[in-house]
Amino acid sequence: METGTTGATGPADGAEARSEAEPVWTGLPPGLLNLRRLLLVLWLVPLAAAVGVLLWLFAGPAWAALALLPLAVLAWGWPMLGRNWRSWRYAERADDLLISRGVLWREETIVPYGRMQLVEVTSGPLERKFGLASLQLHTAAAATDATIPGLAPAEAERLRDRLTELGEARSAGL
């Protein structure tokens, strides 16, 4: 929706203007959502079982019903993880990288290529098992450091190489 426009524009004119101004967003692969949901289940189901057994033995069957609380957290956390995963996205623009995330509190980080000092690709044991890697961007100002979690390793390496190249080109004039 454009404001302040008095004349009618054709569909092609409006579409071209929007496509140049709006970044092309890329979401995260579904492997990250699978990993996070697996971790949620691996923590909460054994917790519920342990709490249930211990309360049954030491406090009685009525108290053992409190073991349903971790299962309620699991039922609530499952769709919340999906919402959070869908909120993560990034876009490469001519002069900077945009990273957007958050459902209730939206956070958008803009990292200018010329300010990047270090671009790292990391992958822990679980990330490697799920075929994922994280991209960490370091700048001179700690407030603009950013991370993109759960990328495919090939995409993380491509981004690292491209961002390093752009960072070196942009910082040459500083």
Side-chain angles (χ1 to χ4, degrees), residues 57-89:
L57 292 175
F58 296 112
W63 286 100
L66 288 176
L68 295 176
L69 287 176
L71 298 179
V73 171
L74 174 66
W76 174 80
W78 191 273
M80 291 302 112
L81 285 174
R83 288 182 64 191
N84 180 270
W85 170 76
R86 282 188 301 275
S87 75
W88 275 87
R89 58 190 188 157

PDB file of all heavy atoms in Angstrom, residues 57-89:
ATOM      1  N   LEU A  57       5.603 -42.441  44.026  1.00  0.00           N
ATOM      2  CA  LEU A  57       6.219 -43.213  45.110  1.00  0.00           C
ATOM      3  C   LEU A  57       6.233 -42.466  46.441  1.00  0.00           C
ATOM      4  O   LEU A  57       6.010 -43.074  47.498  1.00  0.00           O
ATOM      5  CB  LEU A  57       7.655 -43.589  44.729  1.00  0.00           C
ATOM      6  CG  LEU A  57       7.821 -44.585  43.580  1.00  0.00           C
ATOM      7  CD1 LEU A  57       9.298 -44.750  43.246  1.00  0.00           C
ATOM      8  CD2 LEU A  57       7.204 -45.926  43.943  1.00  0.00           C
ATOM      9  N   PHE A  58       6.515 -41.167  46.420  1.00  0.00           N
ATOM     10  CA  PHE A  58       6.732 -40.439  47.668  1.00  0.00           C
ATOM     11  C   PHE A  58       5.553 -39.595  48.129  1.00  0.00           C
ATOM     12  O   PHE A  58       5.475 -39.249  49.300  1.00  0.00           O
ATOM     13  CB  PHE A  58       7.988 -39.565  47.554  1.00  0.00           C
ATOM     14  CG  PHE A  58       9.242 -40.364  47.379  1.00  0.00           C
ATOM     15  CD1 PHE A  58       9.939 -40.329  46.193  1.00  0.00           C
ATOM     16  CD2 PHE A  58       9.714 -41.175  48.411  1.00  0.00           C
ATOM     17  CE1 PHE A  58      11.099 -41.081  46.026  1.00  0.00           C
ATOM     18  CE2 PHE A  58      10.874 -41.919  48.247  1.00  0.00           C
ATOM     19  CZ  PHE A  58      11.568 -41.873  47.054  1.00  0.00           C
ATOM     20  N   ALA A  59       4.643 -39.226  47.235  1.00  0.00           N
ATOM     21  CA  ALA A  59       3.544 -38.351  47.639  1.00  0.00           C
ATOM     22  C   ALA A  59       2.174 -38.948  47.366  1.00  0.00           C
ATOM     23  O   ALA A  59       1.181 -38.436  47.849  1.00  0.00           O
ATOM     24  CB  ALA A  59       3.674 -37.006  46.938  1.00  0.00           C
ATOM     25  N   GLY A  60       2.104 -39.951  46.550  1.00  0.00           N
ATOM     26  CA  GLY A  60       0.817 -40.580  46.268  1.00  0.00           C
ATOM     27  C   GLY A  60       0.343 -40.308  44.850  1.00  0.00           C
ATOM     28  O   GLY A  60       0.851 -39.418  44.157  1.00  0.00           O
ATOM     29  N   PRO A  61      -0.663 -41.070  44.419  1.00  0.00           N
ATOM     30  CA  PRO A  61      -1.134 -40.971  43.037  1.00  0.00           C
ATOM     31  C   PRO A  61      -1.743 -39.614  42.687  1.00  0.00           C
ATOM     32  O   PRO A  61      -1.646 -39.175  41.553  1.00  0.00           O
ATOM     33  CB  PRO A  61      -2.171 -42.079  42.914  1.00  0.00           C
ATOM     34  CG  PRO A  61      -2.186 -42.815  44.185  1.00  0.00           C
ATOM     35  CD  PRO A  61      -1.292 -42.136  45.153  1.00  0.00           C
ATOM     36  N   ALA A  62      -2.349 -38.945  43.644  1.00  0.00           N
ATOM     37  CA  ALA A  62      -2.955 -37.637  43.340  1.00  0.00           C
ATOM     38  C   ALA A  62      -1.889 -36.618  42.951  1.00  0.00           C
ATOM     39  O   ALA A  62      -2.085 -35.818  42.025  1.00  0.00           O
ATOM     40  CB  ALA A  62      -3.760 -37.142  44.538  1.00  0.00           C
ATOM     41  N   TRP A  63      -0.768 -36.654  43.642  1.00  0.00           N
ATOM     42  CA  TRP A  63       0.319 -35.723  43.339  1.00  0.00           C
ATOM     43  C   TRP A  63       1.021 -36.079  42.023  1.00  0.00           C
ATOM     44  O   TRP A  63       1.620 -35.227  41.392  1.00  0.00           O
ATOM     45  CB  TRP A  63       1.333 -35.696  44.476  1.00  0.00           C
ATOM     46  CG  TRP A  63       0.810 -34.965  45.661  1.00  0.00           C
ATOM     47  CD1 TRP A  63       0.275 -35.506  46.785  1.00  0.00           C
ATOM     48  CD2 TRP A  63       0.759 -33.560  45.822  1.00  0.00           C
ATOM     49  NE1 TRP A  63      -0.124 -34.524  47.648  1.00  0.00           N
ATOM     50  CE2 TRP A  63       0.174 -33.307  47.078  1.00  0.00           C
ATOM     51  CE3 TRP A  63       1.152 -32.474  45.048  1.00  0.00           C
ATOM     52  CZ2 TRP A  63      -0.028 -32.032  47.566  1.00  0.00           C
ATOM     53  CZ3 TRP A  63       0.943 -31.197  45.536  1.00  0.00           C
ATOM     54  CH2 TRP A  63       0.352 -30.973  46.782  1.00  0.00           C
ATOM     55  N   ALA A  64       0.957 -37.321  41.631  1.00  0.00           N
ATOM     56  CA  ALA A  64       1.609 -37.753  40.392  1.00  0.00           C
ATOM     57  C   ALA A  64       0.993 -37.075  39.166  1.00  0.00           C
ATOM     58  O   ALA A  64       1.620 -37.009  38.113  1.00  0.00           O
ATOM     59  CB  ALA A  64       1.534 -39.264  40.256  1.00  0.00           C
ATOM     60  N   ALA A  65      -0.206 -36.546  39.315  1.00  0.00           N
ATOM     61  CA  ALA A  65      -0.837 -35.824  38.205  1.00  0.00           C
ATOM     62  C   ALA A  65      -0.053 -34.564  37.827  1.00  0.00           C
ATOM     63  O   ALA A  65      -0.184 -34.055  36.714  1.00  0.00           O
ATOM     64  CB  ALA A  65      -2.272 -35.471  38.563  1.00  0.00           C
ATOM     65  N   LEU A  66       0.777 -34.070  38.742  1.00  0.00           N
ATOM     66  CA  LEU A  66       1.610 -32.901  38.426  1.00  0.00           C
ATOM     67  C   LEU A  66       2.620 -33.202  37.319  1.00  0.00           C
ATOM     68  O   LEU A  66       3.179 -32.294  36.719  1.00  0.00           O
ATOM     69  CB  LEU A  66       2.339 -32.411  39.671  1.00  0.00           C
ATOM     70  CG  LEU A  66       1.454 -31.717  40.712  1.00  0.00           C
ATOM     71  CD1 LEU A  66       2.274 -31.368  41.941  1.00  0.00           C
ATOM     72  CD2 LEU A  66       0.827 -30.460  40.122  1.00  0.00           C
ATOM     73  N   ALA A  67       2.829 -34.480  37.050  1.00  0.00           N
ATOM     74  CA  ALA A  67       3.743 -34.866  35.962  1.00  0.00           C
ATOM     75  C   ALA A  67       3.178 -34.473  34.608  1.00  0.00           C
ATOM     76  O   ALA A  67       3.903 -34.472  33.613  1.00  0.00           O
ATOM     77  CB  ALA A  67       4.018 -36.358  36.006  1.00  0.00           C
ATOM     78  N   LEU A  68       1.908 -34.123  34.566  1.00  0.00           N
ATOM     79  CA  LEU A  68       1.316 -33.677  33.299  1.00  0.00           C
ATOM     80  C   LEU A  68       1.758 -32.267  32.921  1.00  0.00           C
ATOM     81  O   LEU A  68       1.609 -31.877  31.762  1.00  0.00           O
ATOM     82  CB  LEU A  68      -0.215 -33.752  33.389  1.00  0.00           C
ATOM     83  CG  LEU A  68      -0.791 -35.153  33.555  1.00  0.00           C
ATOM     84  CD1 LEU A  68      -2.295 -35.086  33.737  1.00  0.00           C
ATOM     85  CD2 LEU A  68      -0.424 -36.024  32.373  1.00  0.00           C
ATOM     86  N   LEU A  69       2.301 -31.514  33.869  1.00  0.00           N
ATOM     87  CA  LEU A  69       2.754 -30.149  33.560  1.00  0.00           C
ATOM     88  C   LEU A  69       3.845 -30.117  32.480  1.00  0.00           C
ATOM     89  O   LEU A  69       3.746 -29.325  31.542  1.00  0.00           O
ATOM     90  CB  LEU A  69       3.215 -29.438  34.828  1.00  0.00           C
ATOM     91  CG  LEU A  69       2.092 -29.015  35.785  1.00  0.00           C
ATOM     92  CD1 LEU A  69       2.666 -28.405  37.049  1.00  0.00           C
ATOM     93  CD2 LEU A  69       1.141 -28.065  35.104  1.00  0.00           C
ATOM     94  N   PRO A  70       4.901 -30.944  32.569  1.00  0.00           N
ATOM     95  CA  PRO A  70       5.878 -30.937  31.474  1.00  0.00           C
ATOM     96  C   PRO A  70       5.255 -31.332  30.132  1.00  0.00           C
ATOM     97  O   PRO A  70       5.644 -30.820  29.085  1.00  0.00           O
ATOM     98  CB  PRO A  70       6.934 -31.950  31.904  1.00  0.00           C
ATOM     99  CG  PRO A  70       6.823 -32.018  33.385  1.00  0.00           C
ATOM    100  CD  PRO A  70       5.375 -31.765  33.687  1.00  0.00           C
ATOM    101  N   LEU A  71       4.259 -32.212  30.165  1.00  0.00           N
ATOM    102  CA  LEU A  71       3.593 -32.592  28.915  1.00  0.00           C
ATOM    103  C   LEU A  71       2.750 -31.439  28.367  1.00  0.00           C
ATOM    104  O   LEU A  71       2.634 -31.274  27.155  1.00  0.00           O
ATOM    105  CB  LEU A  71       2.756 -33.849  29.117  1.00  0.00           C
ATOM    106  CG  LEU A  71       3.547 -35.101  29.514  1.00  0.00           C
ATOM    107  CD1 LEU A  71       2.614 -36.279  29.709  1.00  0.00           C
ATOM    108  CD2 LEU A  71       4.621 -35.407  28.485  1.00  0.00           C
ATOM    109  N   ALA A  72       2.195 -30.616  29.268  1.00  0.00           N
ATOM    110  CA  ALA A  72       1.464 -29.424  28.830  1.00  0.00           C
ATOM    111  C   ALA A  72       2.425 -28.417  28.200  1.00  0.00           C
ATOM    112  O   ALA A  72       2.097 -27.784  27.192  1.00  0.00           O
ATOM    113  CB  ALA A  72       0.716 -28.799  30.007  1.00  0.00           C
ATOM    114  N   VAL A  73       3.599 -28.292  28.794  1.00  0.00           N
ATOM    115  CA  VAL A  73       4.614 -27.405  28.209  1.00  0.00           C
ATOM    116  C   VAL A  73       5.028 -27.921  26.830  1.00  0.00           C
ATOM    117  O   VAL A  73       5.225 -27.145  25.891  1.00  0.00           O
ATOM    118  CB  VAL A  73       5.836 -27.268  29.147  1.00  0.00           C
ATOM    119  CG1 VAL A  73       6.983 -26.539  28.464  1.00  0.00           C
ATOM    120  CG2 VAL A  73       5.433 -26.565  30.435  1.00  0.00           C
ATOM    121  N   LEU A  74       5.129 -29.227  26.682  1.00  0.00           N
ATOM    122  CA  LEU A  74       5.450 -29.828  25.385  1.00  0.00           C
ATOM    123  C   LEU A  74       4.362 -29.508  24.354  1.00  0.00           C
ATOM    124  O   LEU A  74       4.658 -29.112  23.235  1.00  0.00           O
ATOM    125  CB  LEU A  74       5.615 -31.345  25.537  1.00  0.00           C
ATOM    126  CG  LEU A  74       5.819 -32.138  24.249  1.00  0.00           C
ATOM    127  CD1 LEU A  74       7.139 -31.794  23.600  1.00  0.00           C
ATOM    128  CD2 LEU A  74       5.734 -33.622  24.528  1.00  0.00           C
ATOM    129  N   ALA A  75       3.091 -29.663  24.753  1.00  0.00           N
ATOM    130  CA  ALA A  75       1.984 -29.377  23.833  1.00  0.00           C
ATOM    131  C   ALA A  75       1.934 -27.908  23.447  1.00  0.00           C
ATOM    132  O   ALA A  75       1.569 -27.563  22.319  1.00  0.00           O
ATOM    133  CB  ALA A  75       0.661 -29.795  24.470  1.00  0.00           C
ATOM    134  N   TRP A  76       2.318 -27.023  24.353  1.00  0.00           N
ATOM    135  CA  TRP A  76       2.351 -25.587  24.057  1.00  0.00           C
ATOM    136  C   TRP A  76       3.597 -25.237  23.238  1.00  0.00           C
ATOM    137  O   TRP A  76       3.538 -24.435  22.307  1.00  0.00           O
ATOM    138  CB  TRP A  76       2.341 -24.792  25.364  1.00  0.00           C
ATOM    139  CG  TRP A  76       2.521 -23.333  25.174  1.00  0.00           C
ATOM    140  CD1 TRP A  76       1.590 -22.407  24.807  1.00  0.00           C
ATOM    141  CD2 TRP A  76       3.743 -22.600  25.342  1.00  0.00           C
ATOM    142  NE1 TRP A  76       2.156 -21.158  24.734  1.00  0.00           N
ATOM    143  CE2 TRP A  76       3.475 -21.256  25.061  1.00  0.00           C
ATOM    144  CE3 TRP A  76       5.046 -22.970  25.706  1.00  0.00           C
ATOM    145  CZ2 TRP A  76       4.452 -20.266  25.135  1.00  0.00           C
ATOM    146  CZ3 TRP A  76       6.008 -21.979  25.775  1.00  0.00           C
ATOM    147  CH2 TRP A  76       5.705 -20.652  25.493  1.00  0.00           C
ATOM    148  N   GLY A  77       4.743 -25.839  23.578  1.00  0.00           N
ATOM    149  CA  GLY A  77       6.005 -25.491  22.932  1.00  0.00           C
ATOM    150  C   GLY A  77       6.114 -25.954  21.497  1.00  0.00           C
ATOM    151  O   GLY A  77       6.789 -25.320  20.680  1.00  0.00           O
ATOM    152  N   TRP A  78       5.457 -27.061  21.153  1.00  0.00           N
ATOM    153  CA  TRP A  78       5.533 -27.607  19.795  1.00  0.00           C
ATOM    154  C   TRP A  78       5.109 -26.567  18.744  1.00  0.00           C
ATOM    155  O   TRP A  78       5.885 -26.266  17.832  1.00  0.00           O
ATOM    156  CB  TRP A  78       4.700 -28.878  19.717  1.00  0.00           C
ATOM    157  CG  TRP A  78       4.899 -29.677  18.481  1.00  0.00           C
ATOM    158  CD1 TRP A  78       4.243 -29.507  17.293  1.00  0.00           C
ATOM    159  CD2 TRP A  78       5.816 -30.745  18.277  1.00  0.00           C
ATOM    160  NE1 TRP A  78       4.686 -30.424  16.375  1.00  0.00           N
ATOM    161  CE2 TRP A  78       5.653 -31.197  16.966  1.00  0.00           C
ATOM    162  CE3 TRP A  78       6.754 -31.363  19.094  1.00  0.00           C
ATOM    163  CZ2 TRP A  78       6.399 -32.242  16.440  1.00  0.00           C
ATOM    164  CZ3 TRP A  78       7.485 -32.402  18.563  1.00  0.00           C
ATOM    165  CH2 TRP A  78       7.312 -32.832  17.254  1.00  0.00           C
ATOM    166  N   PRO A  79       3.908 -25.983  18.827  1.00  0.00           N
ATOM    167  CA  PRO A  79       3.540 -24.985  17.813  1.00  0.00           C
ATOM    168  C   PRO A  79       4.316 -23.675  17.971  1.00  0.00           C
ATOM    169  O   PRO A  79       4.547 -22.966  16.981  1.00  0.00           O
ATOM    170  CB  PRO A  79       2.035 -24.767  18.020  1.00  0.00           C
ATOM    171  CG  PRO A  79       1.745 -25.245  19.389  1.00  0.00           C
ATOM    172  CD  PRO A  79       2.772 -26.299  19.697  1.00  0.00           C
ATOM    173  N   MET A  80       4.744 -23.343  19.193  1.00  0.00           N
ATOM    174  CA  MET A  80       5.515 -22.109  19.387  1.00  0.00           C
ATOM    175  C   MET A  80       6.868 -22.196  18.680  1.00  0.00           C
ATOM    176  O   MET A  80       7.350 -21.208  18.127  1.00  0.00           O
ATOM    177  CB  MET A  80       5.730 -21.824  20.882  1.00  0.00           C
ATOM    178  CG  MET A  80       4.479 -21.435  21.628  1.00  0.00           C
ATOM    179  SD  MET A  80       3.669 -19.977  20.942  1.00  0.00           S
ATOM    180  CE  MET A  80       2.190 -20.693  20.309  1.00  0.00           C
ATOM    181  N   LEU A  81       7.475 -23.373  18.703  1.00  0.00           N
ATOM    182  CA  LEU A  81       8.734 -23.551  17.972  1.00  0.00           C
ATOM    183  C   LEU A  81       8.525 -23.357  16.479  1.00  0.00           C
ATOM    184  O   LEU A  81       9.372 -22.778  15.795  1.00  0.00           O
ATOM    185  CB  LEU A  81       9.329 -24.930  18.253  1.00  0.00           C
ATOM    186  CG  LEU A  81       9.985 -25.107  19.612  1.00  0.00           C
ATOM    187  CD1 LEU A  81      10.396 -26.561  19.814  1.00  0.00           C
ATOM    188  CD2 LEU A  81      11.168 -24.187  19.772  1.00  0.00           C
ATOM    189  N   GLY A  82       7.390 -23.834  15.969  1.00  0.00           N
ATOM    190  CA  GLY A  82       7.073 -23.636  14.553  1.00  0.00           C
ATOM    191  C   GLY A  82       6.908 -22.169  14.213  1.00  0.00           C
ATOM    192  O   GLY A  82       7.401 -21.694  13.182  1.00  0.00           O
ATOM    193  N   ARG A  83       6.221 -21.429  15.075  1.00  0.00           N
ATOM    194  CA  ARG A  83       6.046 -19.986  14.834  1.00  0.00           C
ATOM    195  C   ARG A  83       7.386 -19.270  14.857  1.00  0.00           C
ATOM    196  O   ARG A  83       7.654 -18.403  14.030  1.00  0.00           O
ATOM    197  CB  ARG A  83       5.114 -19.386  15.877  1.00  0.00           C
ATOM    198  CG  ARG A  83       3.671 -19.788  15.705  1.00  0.00           C
ATOM    199  CD  ARG A  83       2.793 -19.131  16.717  1.00  0.00           C
ATOM    200  NE  ARG A  83       2.810 -17.684  16.515  1.00  0.00           N
ATOM    201  CZ  ARG A  83       2.296 -16.823  17.375  1.00  0.00           C
ATOM    202  NH1 ARG A  83       1.732 -17.239  18.479  1.00  0.00           N
ATOM    203  NH2 ARG A  83       2.348 -15.538  17.123  1.00  0.00           N
ATOM    204  N   ASN A  84       8.233 -19.621  15.829  1.00  0.00           N
ATOM    205  CA  ASN A  84       9.539 -18.985  15.915  1.00  0.00           C
ATOM    206  C   ASN A  84      10.391 -19.310  14.702  1.00  0.00           C
ATOM    207  O   ASN A  84      11.064 -18.436  14.148  1.00  0.00           O
ATOM    208  CB  ASN A  84      10.251 -19.410  17.202  1.00  0.00           C
ATOM    209  CG  ASN A  84      11.609 -18.783  17.326  1.00  0.00           C
ATOM    210  OD1 ASN A  84      12.607 -19.352  16.874  1.00  0.00           O
ATOM    211  ND2 ASN A  84      11.654 -17.598  17.896  1.00  0.00           N
ATOM    212  N   TRP A  85      10.379 -20.565  14.261  1.00  0.00           N
ATOM    213  CA  TRP A  85      11.164 -20.977  13.095  1.00  0.00           C
ATOM    214  C   TRP A  85      10.717 -20.209  11.848  1.00  0.00           C
ATOM    215  O   TRP A  85      11.540 -19.763  11.057  1.00  0.00           O
ATOM    216  CB  TRP A  85      11.013 -22.484  12.889  1.00  0.00           C
ATOM    217  CG  TRP A  85      11.574 -22.982  11.607  1.00  0.00           C
ATOM    218  CD1 TRP A  85      12.895 -23.166  11.300  1.00  0.00           C
ATOM    219  CD2 TRP A  85      10.841 -23.338  10.440  1.00  0.00           C
ATOM    220  NE1 TRP A  85      13.021 -23.634  10.020  1.00  0.00           N
ATOM    221  CE2 TRP A  85      11.774 -23.748   9.460  1.00  0.00           C
ATOM    222  CE3 TRP A  85       9.492 -23.358  10.123  1.00  0.00           C
ATOM    223  CZ2 TRP A  85      11.386 -24.162   8.201  1.00  0.00           C
ATOM    224  CZ3 TRP A  85       9.115 -23.782   8.869  1.00  0.00           C
ATOM    225  CH2 TRP A  85      10.057 -24.170   7.926  1.00  0.00           C
ATOM    226  N   ARG A  86       9.402 -20.045  11.668  1.00  0.00           N
ATOM    227  CA  ARG A  86       8.896 -19.306  10.507  1.00  0.00           C
ATOM    228  C   ARG A  86       9.254 -17.824  10.560  1.00  0.00           C
ATOM    229  O   ARG A  86       9.286 -17.159   9.532  1.00  0.00           O
ATOM    230  CB  ARG A  86       7.383 -19.475  10.381  1.00  0.00           C
ATOM    231  CG  ARG A  86       6.974 -20.807   9.794  1.00  0.00           C
ATOM    232  CD  ARG A  86       5.486 -20.867   9.505  1.00  0.00           C
ATOM    233  NE  ARG A  86       4.656 -20.653  10.676  1.00  0.00           N
ATOM    234  CZ  ARG A  86       4.309 -21.604  11.544  1.00  0.00           C
ATOM    235  NH1 ARG A  86       4.739 -22.836  11.364  1.00  0.00           N
ATOM    236  NH2 ARG A  86       3.532 -21.328  12.583  1.00  0.00           N
ATOM    237  N   SER A  87       9.505 -17.291  11.745  1.00  0.00           N
ATOM    238  CA  SER A  87       9.806 -15.860  11.853  1.00  0.00           C
ATOM    239  C   SER A  87      11.237 -15.528  11.430  1.00  0.00           C
ATOM    240  O   SER A  87      11.532 -14.381  11.106  1.00  0.00           O
ATOM    241  CB  SER A  87       9.571 -15.379  13.286  1.00  0.00           C
ATOM    242  OG  SER A  87      10.611 -15.807  14.148  1.00  0.00           O
ATOM    243  N   TRP A  88      12.145 -16.491  11.440  1.00  0.00           N
ATOM    244  CA  TRP A  88      13.534 -16.241  11.066  1.00  0.00           C
ATOM    245  C   TRP A  88      13.660 -16.136   9.549  1.00  0.00           C
ATOM    246  O   TRP A  88      13.181 -16.998   8.820  1.00  0.00           O
ATOM    247  CB  TRP A  88      14.438 -17.381  11.531  1.00  0.00           C
ATOM    248  CG  TRP A  88      14.898 -17.243  12.938  1.00  0.00           C
ATOM    249  CD1 TRP A  88      14.246 -17.669  14.046  1.00  0.00           C
ATOM    250  CD2 TRP A  88      16.107 -16.645  13.390  1.00  0.00           C
ATOM    251  NE1 TRP A  88      14.982 -17.389  15.161  1.00  0.00           N
ATOM    252  CE2 TRP A  88      16.119 -16.754  14.786  1.00  0.00           C
ATOM    253  CE3 TRP A  88      17.174 -16.024  12.740  1.00  0.00           C
ATOM    254  CZ2 TRP A  88      17.177 -16.268  15.559  1.00  0.00           C
ATOM    255  CZ3 TRP A  88      18.220 -15.552  13.499  1.00  0.00           C
ATOM    256  CH2 TRP A  88      18.216 -15.664  14.895  1.00  0.00           C
ATOM    257  N   ARG A  89      14.332 -15.095   9.080  1.00  0.00           N
ATOM    258  CA  ARG A  89      14.616 -14.936   7.653  1.00  0.00           C
ATOM    259  C   ARG A  89      15.761 -13.956   7.485  1.00  0.00           C
ATOM    260  O   ARG A  89      16.084 -13.194   8.400  1.00  0.00           O
ATOM    261  CB  ARG A  89      13.360 -14.467   6.913  1.00  0.00           C
ATOM    262  CG  ARG A  89      12.804 -13.170   7.435  1.00  0.00           C
ATOM    263  CD  ARG A  89      11.449 -12.871   6.859  1.00  0.00           C
ATOM    264  NE  ARG A  89      11.065 -11.519   7.265  1.00  0.00           N
ATOM    265  CZ  ARG A  89      10.198 -10.778   6.643  1.00  0.00           C
ATOM    266  NH1 ARG A  89       9.605 -11.238   5.563  1.00  0.00           N
ATOM    267  NH2 ARG A  89       9.911  -9.582   7.072  1.00  0.00           N
TER     268      ARG A  89
END
